[in-house]
Amino acid sequence: MPESHAEIETDELARRMSAVVGEAHCISDPAGLSVYECDGLSHGRIRPRLVVLPASTEEVVEVVRLAHDAGVPLVPRGSGTGLSGGARPTPGGVVVALSRMRRVLEVNLEDGWVRLEPGVINLDVTRAVQGRGWYYAPDPSSQSICSIGGNVAENSGGAHCLKYGFTVNHVLGARLVLDGGEVVDLGGPSPDTTGYDLLAALVGSEGMLGIVTEVTLRLLRKPEATRTFLATFPSSDEAGEAVSGIIAAGILPAAIEMMDTLAIQAAKAATGLNWPEVGSILLMDVDGPLAEAEHTSAAAIGIARSAGALEVRIPVDEAERQLMWKGRKSAFAAVGRLSPNYMVEDGVIPRSEIARVLREIGRMAGEAGLRVANVFHAGDGNLHPLVLYDARNPGEEEKAAKLGGDILRLCVRLGGSITGEHGVGAEKAAYMADMFAPEDLETMFLVRCAFDPEARFNPDKVFPTPRLCGERPGPYRPHPAEAAGLVERW
Amino acid sequence: MTATRPARPDEAVLGVAPGAVAEPATVEEAAEVMKGCARDRQRLVFVGGGTDLGVGAPPAGVDVLLRTGRLSRVVEHSPSDQIVVAEAGLTLAALQRTLAAHGQRLGLDPPGAEQATLGGIVAANAFGAHRTRFGTARDLIIGLSIVRADGTAARGGGKVVKNVAGFDLPRLFVGSLGTLGLITSVTFRLHPLPEASATVAVEPITGGQARALVVATREAQLEPASLMLLAGSGALRLGVRFEGFGPGVRQQTGRFSGLVQAAGLRGELLDEAGAEAFWARHEAARTSGAVRVRLAAPPSALEQVLAGAVAPLAGGLGQGWAVLDPWVGCGFAGGTPADPASAVAALQRAREALVALGGSLTLAAAPPAVRAGFDAWGAPPAAVEVMRRLKARLDPEGRLAPGRFVGGI
Ligand SMILES: Cc1cc2nc3c(=O)[nH]c(=O)nc-3n(C[C@H](O)[C@H](O)[C@H](O)COP(=O)(O)OP(=O)(O)OC[C@H]3O[C@@H](n4cnc5c(N)ncnc54)[C@H](O)[C@@H]3O)c2cc1C
């Protein structure tokens, strides 16, 4: 008999959960719980009732059954690095942390895939196979800490997704535990499994369909050559023009990253790089077979120069190349050196609008009396404006949040998106209605209902207004012609 | 409400005659047709160019056949953003012509581009030899508009390549064969037309040699745009196409030719006409024969696929052919059997062999006598119950292409 969660005592729930995962892996003390109050987005903390850390699919199934019977919501969690509050606990709910499920189960380089548990850290996938010249392509900046389960849930991207695609292009299969404990396998290592592409629905579903307990990922052979260069520009106008020119020339770079003055200052402060404090920097990788990489990199440098590059730097060795990328990848966190507080935004615009949008963001920031640092994936128009503020000044945090929201709406107005890789989560649910009509959201919600009709998993995320799945659809009613015996269903 | 007309005899869907045909000229009209059918509880089948109607099982019944051919506008092409929004009834060839004028293309090349429509390609998950490099519609679609069974128009995805807002409706509709809703427009990411392209043909070659060459090509870090093994009467023939900028293509073809030589095989760098003929032959094979099937298995199983599936099909289907992409692990086979019973037996053997390898065999075309003895899809996949629940949510009355899909969905 299902009980509502008001009825079941937390102590009793903890006892039942402990019996499944072991007492050491069921956290109920306030200090232990406080670690799980939020993800990478530190405001809006909510203390979970319990945190459980199962070690296997079987344990996840038991945990889900217990929660189902007790009517308690569950929030899956990987490494907790999400930036949209996706792993933020639901009030009264239990967090299911997958961090103990970290085994690489099977590597098959004949067919180029790896099967692993969801708690495996992104970078560890590549580490497991790089000795043999292979790698896992999606490379979020958080790749040394974020989990594959989180990547699947967020459809994470990274700098090199411009050429190689996002998580969804690299997930071949998944094992999913649904409410009630049903286990389903979606996709698999062989191409073209029959039926609906449920895997596509799962990737990017932000933990709302079930708990992923196994993932099969496609691996790639490392490209033969990578050519990197950094170009400096007086302003983002010229840098934006260079990006457009490179793409128009038919070049598909592995990555093109852009940073503005504030972001450059932050990266320098964090890494000691000797970058000039110019208006804009582009950092670009091209890769592929040697001659192709050589040719496209020379062509791209030519385009950057004619777009007005002040200087082009080519790393002399792999160490210098790594340093350039370190500068880029540390820019996020480094912004903390410029300001006591900052908010990370994640919007997408059509690539051709980059220069115009950056000017507009500058104008909006000026009006709000705030500073915005921009560091982003220019090749696919994925902006990461970092809104700097000081929470000690009354009203400034609200102003920063409003500016962030205005930037997202600007992205939508230009035909872009409110999120390119961080997800909607708890943070951006309110903006979904700016991007989608009620009918669009309803259709997505129907998909959710097909997997999780009682909203067991992450119930209060993504959708702007909480809903119920309503009546379960009734049994099939025969078509009148069928009932009359005129046609047959087989 | 858009008027319907009586169906012509050639408009039957796998032998099932529609009650009436609607040909809406706008997305709004299409939604009206859908609403009307919802009100009257009529069953619908959607047809684009009709090139892949043989995929799947015959519908349990068709009250209204909705043809998308008049929904054929390019809604938006932004060359600088490399995206295109187009209505579902636009043919692939018409789209490619528009794009080529701007030096761009959609990386999909299923056969029959003059007839095949974008909506049909997405719904049937159709693909061609460029799959090696670009993947399928799943890898290129970034947005779509649909009309649900109840007549509600909705949209998913967007117009930018990178976008994770909301559930991924576009990819969910890839391969759904008109059972989840009417696709009214699609948005794709585009690629530049290559500056250079070159094809090397290797003949004769055995399955084992082809597999070894694929592994060597990968180890040499070459990046083929297409890689296709043609099996017909006589020896196997492998075609490998490289695309990109001139210097890259020259280097890759040179190095590939070196691998061919090192393996003791004979490779020929085809001239333009020769390359065109090779890929035309591939396409002709794919559209010939009364029985056609799609094959899939892990790429490492190439030899088992040839022995366990392609060989029996060649015998049982009559004048059999097969084309296999040994890089991806997918392919097609077909022929015109003299006798349905031997065709069914061969199909069964081939399916068993592929399923044992973890793969699949599904029908893409077959006469009724063959369909009577052979299920279009085979055993339903592990997640079929979830698929039924999805169908029940989006089409609760089961009116869209009833019975066409996996597991009788
Ligand atoms: C410094 C920094 C840089 C970042 N850079 C990038 C970047 O470049 N690109 C990018 O895309 N993201 C980036 N992120 C965001 C974040 O790292 C990614 O979203 C990542 O995928 C989250 O993984 P996680 O394991 O931390 O997941 P969590 O934060 O724990 O969870 C994220 C979501 O996944 C769900 N989830 C987790 N595990 C499972 C499971 N097994 N089954 C079902 N649902 C599950 C959760 O419920 C939640 O909704 C960055 C974050 C930080 C802090």
Side-chain angles (χ1 to χ4, degrees), chain A residues 111 197 417 435 442-443, chain B residues 81 138 148 155 163 179 300:
Chain A
D111 287 317
D197 195 344
S417 171
M435 189 164 159
E442 183 190 60
T443 308
Chain B
D81 297 314
R138 180 191 205 271
R148 292 203 319 246
R155 180 173 76 71
N163 170 22
T179 59
S300 62

Side-chain angles (χ1 to χ4, degrees), chain A residues 72-257:
Chain A
V72 173
L74 295 174
V75 175
R77 179 183 173 105
S79 301
T81 69
L83 290 173
S84 55
R88 180 188 295 170
T90 294
V94 171
V95 168
V96 183
L98 285 308
S99 45
R100 287 177 66 219
M101 294 180 64
R102 289 193 173 219
R103 284 177 305 161
V104 173
L105 301 169
E106 194 180 353
V107 178
N108 182 331
L109 295 185
E110 279 285 295
D111 287 317
W113 52 263
V114 57
R115 191 165 58 85
L116 39 73
E117 292 182 331
V120 172
I121 299 303
N122 173 299
L123 199 54
D124 288 340
V125 183
T126 292
R127 287 201 179 117
V129 294
Q130 66 186 4
R132 287 168 281 179
W134 292 72
Y135 76 115
Y136 174 61
D139 60 339
S141 304
S142 51
Q143 70 183 141
S144 57
I145 42 173
C146 64
S147 74
I148 291 299
N151 292 175
V152 169
E154 301 288 1
N155 188 14
S156 296
H160 292 82
C161 289
L162 175 59
K163 178 169 176 186
Y164 291 101
F166 317 99
T167 301
V168 67
N169 304 106
H170 299 271
V171 177
L172 299 175
R175 176 163 289 175
L176 179 66
V177 179
L178 300 173
D179 191 19
E182 183 183 352
V183 179
V184 289
D185 284 323
L186 311 179
S190 177
D192 301 339
T193 46
T194 55
Y196 297 129
D197 195 344
L198 299 181
L199 199 55
L202 175 67
V203 178
S205 62
E206 307 201 25
M208 299 178 75
L209 303 186
I211 298 182
V212 173
T213 61
E214 243 181 69
V215 186
T216 304
L217 298 174
R218 183 203 312 282
L219 298 170
L220 296 182
R221 189 74 176 83
K222 281 218 182 81
E224 182 183 20
T226 302
R227 291 290 175 265
T228 302
F229 72 87
L230 180 142
T232 64
F233 296 88
S235 79
S236 47
D237 288 2
E238 295 85 3
E241 197 182 309
V243 172
S244 294
I246 288 165
I247 299 292
I251 297 169
L252 179 56
I256 320 183
E257 302 288 298

Side-chain angles (χ1 to χ4, degrees), chain A residues 384-398:
Chain A
H384 289 312
L386 307 165
V387 181
L388 315 190
Y389 67 97
D390 186 342
R392 291 165 305 190
N393 298 339
E396 207 164 297
E397 181 162 346
E398 291 72 28

Side-chain angles (χ1 to χ4, degrees), chain A residues 331-364:
Chain A
F332 255 44
V335 164
R337 294 169 183 256
L338 303 183
S339 166
N341 308 92
Y342 65 98
M343 286 179 192
V344 181
E345 283 303 343
D346 167 42
V348 189
I349 51 164
R351 175 172 48 219
S352 52
E353 303 278 3
I354 286 178
R356 194 162 76 120
V357 169
L358 291 181
R359 271 200 306 277
E360 181 62 13
I361 290 176
R363 196 193 58 75
M364 287 157 67

Side-chain angles (χ1 to χ4, degrees), chain A residues 416-489:
Chain A
S417 171
I418 57 170
T419 170
E421 53 184 22
H422 295 167
V424 176
E427 189 67 1
K428 288 187 180 169
Y431 299 103
M432 284 291 274
D434 289 296
M435 189 164 159
F436 293 108
E439 294 80 7
D440 309 339
L441 294 171
E442 183 190 60
T443 308
M444 294 176 197
F445 198 72
L446 290 170
V447 174
R448 190 242 167 89
C449 292
F451 284 83
D452 184 22
E454 291 179 30
R456 176 81 41 230
F457 301 102
N458 229 352
D460 48 3
K461 309 288 161 65
V462 178
F463 293 96
T465 40
R467 323 156 176 241
L468 296 172
C469 286
E471 294 294 319
R472 279 165 170 271
Y476 172 76
R477 277 166 301 173
H479 180 269
E482 205 176 332
L486 299 175
V487 291
E488 258 179 14
R489 163 173 293 254

Side-chain angles (χ1 to χ4, degrees), chain B residues 286-309:
Chain B
R286 277 205 45 191
T287 49
S288 72
V291 175
R292 299 195 295 275
V293 292
R294 290 186 179 188
L295 319 172
S300 62
L302 178 62
E303 283 179 276
Q304 292 99 302
V305 170
L306 285 166

